[in-house]
Amino acid sequence: MASYSLQWFIDSKDEGKTIKQFLSEQYISRRQLTDIKFAGGRILVNGREENVLYHLRSGDSLDIIFPPEKSSETLIGEEIALDIRYEDSDILVIEKPPFMNTIPSREHPNGSLANAIIGYYQKKSIEATVHIVTRLDRNTSGLVLVAKHRYMHHLLSQMQQKRQIKRTYEALVSGVMGNRSGTIDAPIGRKDTSIIEREVRADGQSARTNFEVLKQYKDYCHLKVWLDTGRTHQIRVHMSYIGHPLLGDELYGGDISKYDRQALHCSQLEFCHPISKQQFIFHSKFPFD
């Protein structure tokens, strides 16, 4: 099994710190350190194994070898073509088509993006499981960010919590928008009568959705949408709440006469790679359907 590793060369500002202290500053959690110690990882200083209480010296070479990634025993790899927009040793950026689950569900146990990724890993002999960072609903298309190992997933999840991963959507909504731009600030929670459907409700989680009109047509509108929070079905719920449901969104009252899925697409993904520090902006055109 392949292992992911990181290396640092210690300079004077970090001299005297313990390995544990230094690694915590690199966002390696206590749980990850436990995994490294007991699940097959290693900590090396100048090529020699050391424990986390070792005091670092200027000029030391510190190598962290993470435990081998284990493929999921329950997730079956499938040979499904992937539209990979970017790949390196840490991440994948994939364009997900509509009508594909991000992960398997009881109703759709096969054919998901996760199944396709496992199949891709198997074909490329990449020992890893699936770490999807930015999920999309089954019928929502667009850009998805995937981590290729646990440490990267941890870093990207922290960035998500700090709103450092920016996603922009395009949507078609019914009606004529009264304002060219605006913010919908309304809490969202699960509907009492459904395990799937959400609604705006006073006891829900805070949710903020921003929108800008790209083009107004006679009876529908093309919007750019971006989020300050990431609640389940947030865009769909908020647009329905203000009386402009997404076209094709049957669950939330959208017009389904011309569309067989909600007209929602993740068109832009922007983030700074937490290891290489490279700034990325990916764009995806509104799909033909």
Side-chain angles (χ1 to χ4, degrees), residues 240-252:
S240 178
Y241 175 68
I242 65 169
H244 297 281
L246 271 66
L247 299 185
D249 191 357
E250 185 175 13
L251 185 63
Y252 293 105

Side-chain angles (χ1 to χ4, degrees), residues 42-263:
R42 301 175 72 194
I43 298 173
L44 304 176
V45 177
N46 304 322
R48 295 180 57 182
E49 200 138 7
E50 296 286 353
N51 67 43
V52 294
L53 298 181
Y54 173 90
H55 289 268
L56 294 166
R57 301 170 185 168
S58 181
D60 279 347
S61 170
L62 173 61
D63 290 270
I64 302 300
I65 302 169
F66 290 86
E69 288 275 324
K70 296 180 181 179
S71 296
S72 171
E73 295 179 358
T74 57
L75 190 58
I76 299 170
E78 298 179 41
E79 193 170 336
I80 301 170
L82 286 174
D83 185 358
I84 297 175
R85 299 289 303 276
Y86 177 81
E87 179 178 11
D88 62 24
S89 60
D90 302 303
I91 63 172
L92 284 166
V93 176
I94 300 171
E95 181 144 350
K96 186 186 85 66
F99 312 112
M100 173 187 266
N101 275 27
T102 303
I103 60 173
S105 67
R106 186 171 58 184
E107 295 79 12
H108 303 96
N110 306 109
S112 74
L113 184 64
N115 292 116
I117 292 169
I118 287 291
Y120 174 76
Y121 287 165
Q122 291 170 345
K123 185 177 181 180
K124 296 291 185 179
S125 299
I126 299 171
E127 291 284 353
T129 190
V130 177
H131 302 282
I132 294 174
V133 180
T134 60
R135 295 186 183 185
L136 295 177
D137 292 343
R138 172 179 171 81
N139 290 343
T140 300
S141 55
L143 299 167
V144 174
L145 177 59
V146 180
K148 293 175 77 173
H149 52 83
R150 283 172 291 182
Y151 178 55
M152 177 55 71
H153 194 196
H154 173 69
L155 294 178
L156 292 172
S157 295
Q158 287 196 322
M159 288 173 62
Q160 265 194 311
Q161 292 172 9
K162 297 174 183 177
R163 300 175 188 167
Q164 294 171 343
I165 297 175
K166 299 177 182 178
R167 288 190 285 175
T168 303
Y169 297 80
E170 289 183 48
L172 300 179
V173 302
S174 63
V176 176
M177 300 294 292
N179 298 311
R180 298 294 300 177
S181 63
T183 298
I184 307 162
D185 190 345
I188 292 174
R190 180 176 286 162
K191 198 170 185 177
D192 291 334
T193 56
S194 173
I195 61 172
I196 298 173
E197 196 172 351
R198 268 59 176 178
E199 65 180 354
V200 169
R201 52 189 299 161
D203 61 351
Q205 294 178 295
S206 63
R208 284 172 55 90
T209 301
N210 307 288
F211 67 88
E212 177 186 324
V213 173
L214 295 176
K215 189 168 183 178
Q216 179 67 61
Y217 296 88
K218 181 180 177 181
D219 55 2
Y220 70 96
C221 186
H222 184 186
L223 296 181
K224 178 172 79 171
V225 184
W226 64 101
L227 306 178
D228 291 337
T229 54
R231 309 304 176 203
T232 300
H233 297 178
Q234 180 172 322
I235 294 172
R236 300 166 64 188
V237 171
H238 271 172
M239 289 302 157
S240 178
Y241 175 68
I242 65 169
H244 297 281
L246 271 66
L247 299 185
D249 191 357
E250 185 175 13
L251 185 63
Y252 293 105
D255 181 359
I256 59 171
S257 61
K258 296 180 181 179
Y259 298 90
D260 57 358
R261 60 115 169 176
Q262 67 260 14

